[in-house]
């Protein structure tokens, strides 16, 4: 939502250049969303405070850290099977509210490989991240020892953008 806010404020700022006032039209299905009023008034601080409140309520950075696991393979069935198994195992350890996915990213296939993402929320404490890394490393070693999961590429991205 920050990128949307930034883009709309930038477009609105550019519309008012060169000695005359311009107009900006934004087409949306949610005209009542708070972001549009803040774009109109360019209330950066109000937007920031609202976003921080939402992030705190739902446990997103900067109040937590995220770990994204990326799974890829040329056959979608193998990616779906491995990602579902991994997500279920992660939920047993970290809980349902801290494990998101598996989900396909906006580009679900790249270079002939299907992609699934699993995101884990972790506390901002270094020991929590250290424990999670160790657990994930062991989990990946275990998955790679099983023939049906060995062929799926697994990548770990700490604090993805």
């Amino acid at each position: 939502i920050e990128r949307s806010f930034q883009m709309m404020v930038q477009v609105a700022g550019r519309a008012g250049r060169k000695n005359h006032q311009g107009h900006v039209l934004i087409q949306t299905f949610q005209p009542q969303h708070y972001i549009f009023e803040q774009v109109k008034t360019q209330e950066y601080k109000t937007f920031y405070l609202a976003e921080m409140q939402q992030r705190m309520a739902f446990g997103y950075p900067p109040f937590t850290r995220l770990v994204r696991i990326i799974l890829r393979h040329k056959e979608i069935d193998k990616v779906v099977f491995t990602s579902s198994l991994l997500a279920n195992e992660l939920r047993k350890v970290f809980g349902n509210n801290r494990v998101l996915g598996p989900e396909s990213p906006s580009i679900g296939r790249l270079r002939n490989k299907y992609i699934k993402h699993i995101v884990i929320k972790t506390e901002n404490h270094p020991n929590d991240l250290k424990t999670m890394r160790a657990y994930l490393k062991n989990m990946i070693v275990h998955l790679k020892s099983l023939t049906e999961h060995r062929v799926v590429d697994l990548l770990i991205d700490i604090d993805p953008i």
Side-chain angles (χ1 to χ4, degrees):
I1 210 158
E2 305 95 72
R3 288 184 184 169
S4 299
F5 178 77
Q6 178 186 11
M7 187 74 67
M8 288 185 278
V9 168
Q10 184 179 12
V11 167
R14 290 185 178 181
R17 294 183 178 178
K18 295 265 186 170
N19 300 334
H20 51 286
Q21 188 64 32
H23 296 283
V24 176
L25 298 174
I26 300 172
Q27 183 177 353
T28 179
F29 285 112
Q30 292 182 307
Q32 71 282 0
H33 197 281
Y34 71 90
I35 192 172
F36 299 114
E37 185 60 37
Q38 292 166 355
V39 167
K40 277 195 283 187
T41 58
Q42 294 189 0
E43 298 225 5
Y44 302 101
K45 188 172 183 179
T46 305
F47 174 77
Y48 169 80
L49 293 173
E51 280 303 300
M52 287 298 109
Q53 187 177 13
Q54 292 255 351
R55 286 171 175 249
M56 183 183 287
F58 293 108
Y60 281 99
F63 304 102
T64 60
R65 295 186 72 181
L66 300 179
V67 176
R68 178 174 57 187
I69 303 169
I70 304 164
L71 298 98
R72 299 184 304 203
H73 193 270
K74 62 184 175 182
E75 295 178 31
I76 192 163
D77 294 343
K78 291 185 180 188
V79 175
V80 169
F81 181 56
T82 302
S83 64
S84 296
L85 176 75
L86 181 58
N88 289 336
E89 290 300 315
L90 292 170
R91 283 187 182 93
K92 290 177 188 175
V93 174
F94 299 110
N96 286 335
N97 58 340
R98 291 178 61 186
V99 178
L100 308 174
E103 291 291 328
S104 295
S106 55
I107 299 174
R109 188 174 175 198
L110 188 62
R111 295 187 183 126
N112 291 324
K113 288 189 175 185
Y114 292 93
I115 305 167
K116 289 286 186 184
H117 288 176
I118 300 170
V119 175
I120 308 168
K121 297 179 196 178
T122 184
E123 302 306 318
N124 263 336
H125 195 275
N127 287 337
D128 199 33
L129 188 60
K130 190 175 182 179
T131 303
M132 182 177 289
R133 279 184 181 164
Y135 177 79
L136 288 175
K137 185 177 179 182
N138 289 337
M139 175 61 77
I140 289 171
V141 167
H142 175 68
L143 274 175
K144 292 293 184 178
S145 71
L146 303 172
T147 308
E148 64 271 18
H149 303 294
R150 185 177 301 146
V151 294
V152 177
D153 296 334
L154 284 162
L155 303 164
I156 297 175
D157 187 7
I158 307 286
D159 295 327
I161 295 177

